């Protein structure tokens, strides 16, 4: 596996986490988990200002939203990109995500997007 190779291992955080953003968008939960928990150079859940969270919320990927919000380090902020994840979740009818984002332990999304 590329992430487990020794000396010349691929970095899970390469290209500012583009692999994480793409996997989150496309609903690849196991890949998101591998990237977040890579033994070295793990992807940051908050890379690209939280675009992975916005993508997952927009496309209805519940498990990925939870993984990103609960990442052990550099968790995604529920109010990233001025609350775009909340806007996308609401406009796509993802009630569960709206609740998750508003109840996030830190940096909860605000319904009025104030102080985001």
């Amino acid at each position: 596996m590329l992430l487990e190779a020794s000396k010349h291992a691929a970095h899970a955080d390469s290209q500012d986490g583009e692999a994480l953003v793409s996997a989150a968008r496309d609903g690849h939960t196991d890949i998101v988990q591998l990237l977040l928990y890579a033994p070295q150079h793990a992807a940051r859940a908050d890379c690209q200002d939280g675009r992975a969270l916005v993508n997952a919320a927009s496309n209805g990927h519940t498990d990925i939203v939870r993984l990103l919000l609960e990442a052990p380090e550099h968790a995604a902020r529920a109010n990233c990109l001025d609350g775009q994840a909340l806007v996308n979740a609401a406009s796509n009818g993802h009630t569960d995500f709206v609740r998750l984002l508003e109840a996030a332990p830190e940096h909860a999304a605000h319904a009025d997007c104030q102080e985001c």
Side-chain angles (χ1 to χ4, degrees):
M1 175 179 260
L2 290 174
L3 295 177
E4 294 174 355
S6 58
K7 187 176 179 183
H8 301 290
H11 292 200
D13 63 352
S14 64
Q15 296 185 12
D16 191 23
E18 187 59 33
L20 179 68
V21 171
S22 297
R25 178 193 62 228
D26 297 336
H28 301 300
T29 306
D30 48 344
I31 293 173
V32 168
Q33 191 163 12
L34 281 172
L35 293 169
L36 289 175
Y37 293 92
Q40 296 178 354
H41 307 289
R44 293 175 57 123
D46 63 353
C47 67
Q48 297 186 22
D49 296 323
R51 194 154 312 280
L53 180 66
V54 171
N55 287 345
S58 299
N59 293 312
H61 304 307
T62 310
D63 292 338
I64 293 174
V65 168
R66 282 196 181 97
L67 279 171
L68 294 168
L69 291 174
E70 298 169 358
E73 293 185 39
H74 309 293
R77 295 169 53 128
N79 63 352
C80 63
L81 294 173
D82 293 326
Q84 192 61 49
L86 180 64
V87 171
N88 291 1
S91 66
N92 290 322
H94 302 303
T95 308
D96 292 343
F97 299 134
V98 171
R99 288 187 186 119
L100 271 174
L101 294 168
E102 288 183 331
E106 292 186 43
H107 309 292
H110 301 278
D112 62 0
C113 290
Q114 298 299 309
E115 300 175 24
C116 293

